[in-house]
Amino acid sequence: MHIREAWKDEPLVSNSGTMKVSVWRGQGDVGQFEEFDVPVLDNQTILDVVSWIQQESDPTLTYRFACRVGMCGSCAMMVNGKPRWTCRTHVKKVRKDGAIEIAPLRNLPVIKDLAADMTEFFDKWVKAEGVFHPSKTREDPIEPINHESNARQQASAAIECINCAVCYAACDSVSSNSDYLGPAALNRAWTLVNDERDSAAEQRLKAVSGDGGCHSCHSHQSCMNYCPNELNPTASIAGLKRESVKNLSWWGW
Amino acid sequence: MLNTRLYYLQRVSAMMMAPLVLCHIALMIYAVQGGLSAGEILSRTQGSVLWALFYGLFVLAVSVHAAIGLRVIVFETFGLRGILLNAFSVVVLLASLVLGMRAVYAVVAS
């Protein structure tokens, strides 16, 4: 029997009533929560809930998603006040008193409903010099990289960021200082500072040491607590602080 | 709001303050437990270069540390920026230095 046909015989989920789901509706700063009754299933993610509302209850609901398997980083939202990747967040784990509240990501402007405007988030990656500056040309032989080296290990520890902006939404320093580059951009800068193939370490340290740079971080560690990939941007930022002090010139920058 | 220099100065001033605060607290406990009068304390501090250096350094570290710390709080809480923020930081620094050094002078000058 074909595997898809076998699935038909065994239902993967079973209904057990409905739950109240409050969803933020609106544009920009104006909006309010709207309540929906959504069927409860055994296996159900927050993204499943949002998709059910859009497909079965209100097709005008706006939200963003792509891969549905925790790879692309597009579906992050605030769930019961906490930033989460919704495709990998099970309803059972986050329901509070049987109810769920879903809102767009904190610290970012809202385009509509659950879709946050990510422009400033990605602009800050560029401001933090989160761009690779190669030290060689395509004519040069490929540079061997020692994966055991301390620098490469530090770069690798921080490299699995999927740009979901969960850390950015969780960060109180971003809330109180809109110029602050944020944990994701600084984490990216740290991977490049440690990348032996990169040629712009000094330029990058300068970019992350000015107003809104790594020194604006208060080490609350919310980024680390909420990062769905269990990265530690706080440690990356601490590394940037150390390096910036080592490179400090009292007569230059 | 906070560049590498200010960050560095705040960390260094904190490192200076840590042992100075502990010594100061130990000293206060010793003076109170020992039942020293104000006159007896002054007789030990007046004319002492060591106590002048100790509390002079303390005042310097506190003034730098507090000015930078308050700068961050005022920026994040009240949104003060630019020249006003710099002016606020300098006023806090100078006020702390003047008040602190005045107190140091009062206990060490003979």
Side-chain angles (χ1 to χ4, degrees):
Chain A
M1 187 188 289
H2 191 273
I3 195 162
R4 284 185 71 99
E5 288 170 12
W7 281 356
K8 281 181 192 166
D9 299 333
E10 267 182 69
L12 291 170
V13 293
S14 66
N15 269 339
S16 50
T18 61
M19 62 182 154
K20 298 278 180 205
V21 179
S22 295
V23 178
W24 179 260
R25 307 300 306 273
Q27 292 186 344
D29 295 335
V30 184
Q32 68 288 315
F33 281 99
E34 189 178 339
E35 203 163 85
F36 296 90
D37 286 313
V38 179
V40 176
L41 306 175
D42 281 348
N43 274 310
Q44 188 176 30
T45 65
I46 296 297
L47 185 61
D48 292 336
V49 169
V50 175
S51 299
W52 186 93
I53 294 170
Q54 202 251 1
Q55 287 163 18
E56 307 292 335
S57 180
D58 186 346
T60 67
L61 177 66
T62 303
Y63 65 109
R64 189 187 287 122
F65 76 99
C67 74
R68 302 192 295 176
V69 290
M71 296 292 287
C72 73
S74 15
C75 69
M77 300 169 200
M78 303 300 289
V79 180
N80 285 345
K82 292 178 179 172
R84 295 186 183 280
W85 53 353
T86 58
C87 68
R88 299 290 297 271
T89 302
H90 280 260
V91 168
K92 275 183 198 165
K93 288 188 179 168
V94 293
R95 263 167 80 179
K96 253 189 202 164
D97 304 322
I100 288 172
E101 185 188 277
I102 307 172
L105 278 179
R106 179 175 169 246
N107 292 340
L108 287 165
V110 177
I111 300 172
K112 182 176 175 285
D113 300 340
L114 300 172
D117 185 346
M118 306 286 281
T119 309
E120 71 175 52
F121 175 74
F122 289 113
D123 282 351
K124 285 178 177 178
W125 271 60
V126 179
K127 267 191 199 167
E129 280 290 344
V131 183
F132 180 60
H133 294 272
S135 54
K136 300 204 166 163
T137 69
R138 64 179 63 193
E139 314 303 331
D140 294 314
I142 294 172
E143 189 176 352
I145 297 296
N146 177 12
H147 290 269
E148 305 300 319
S149 76
N150 185 42
R152 189 61 235 171
Q153 299 238 338
Q154 294 204 63
S156 298
I159 212 160
E160 294 292 344
C161 173
I162 57 171
N163 319 333
C164 63
V166 160
C167 59
Y168 195 83
C171 180
D172 288 336
S173 296
V174 173
S175 301
S176 53
N177 179 3
S178 59
D179 293 335
Y180 177 45
L181 295 169
L186 293 170
N187 183 71
R188 169 66 180 160
W190 180 240
T191 63
L192 289 170
V193 164
N194 285 296
D195 194 326
E196 294 154 73
R197 302 165 303 154
D198 188 89
S199 64
E202 195 179 329
Q203 187 181 331
R204 190 166 295 107
L205 281 175
K206 192 175 176 182
V208 301
S209 300
D211 279 351
C214 60
H215 304 299
S216 299
C217 167
H218 294 313
S219 307
H220 292 156
Q221 304 190 45
S222 298
C223 51
M224 185 194 77
N225 285 336
Y226 289 101
C227 175
N229 273 348
E230 298 181 351
L231 303 183
N232 188 351
T234 312
S236 298
I237 296 167
L240 287 175
K241 288 174 179 172
R242 276 197 309 275
E243 286 305 311
S244 70
V245 167
K246 280 186 203 164
N247 286 274
L248 176 63
S249 157
W250 288 91
W251 296 273
W253 54 276
Chain B
M1 176 265 298
L2 205 60
N3 57 28
T4 309
R5 283 188 204 109
L6 292 175
Y7 169 83
Y8 184 68
L9 283 173
Q10 204 186 22
R11 264 48 185 184
V12 168
S13 58
M15 283 164 60
M16 283 165 62
M17 277 162 62
L20 295 175
V21 166
L22 290 175
C23 286
H24 175 69
I25 291 172
L27 190 70
M28 290 302 104
I29 292 170
Y30 168 76
V32 170
Q33 298 273 325
L36 289 177
S37 68
E40 285 168 332
I41 292 172
L42 282 175
S43 70
R44 287 163 168 77
T45 57
Q46 279 174 341
S48 165
V49 176
L50 196 68
W51 285 122
L53 281 175
F54 178 88
Y55 278 111
L57 201 62
F58 200 159
V59 166
L60 182 69
V62 167
S63 302
V64 169
H65 194 80
I68 299 171
L70 285 173
R71 174 188 174 86
V72 175
I73 292 170
V74 163
F75 169 79
E76 291 190 354
T77 310
F78 304 111
L80 206 64
R81 283 164 181 263
I83 295 172
L84 281 177
L85 186 63
N86 287 339
F88 171 82
S89 309
V90 171
V91 166
V92 172
L93 173 71
L94 292 179
S96 310
L97 272 176
V98 168
L99 292 171
M101 289 303 182
R102 200 166 154 261
V104 173
Y105 179 77
V107 291
V108 297
S110 49

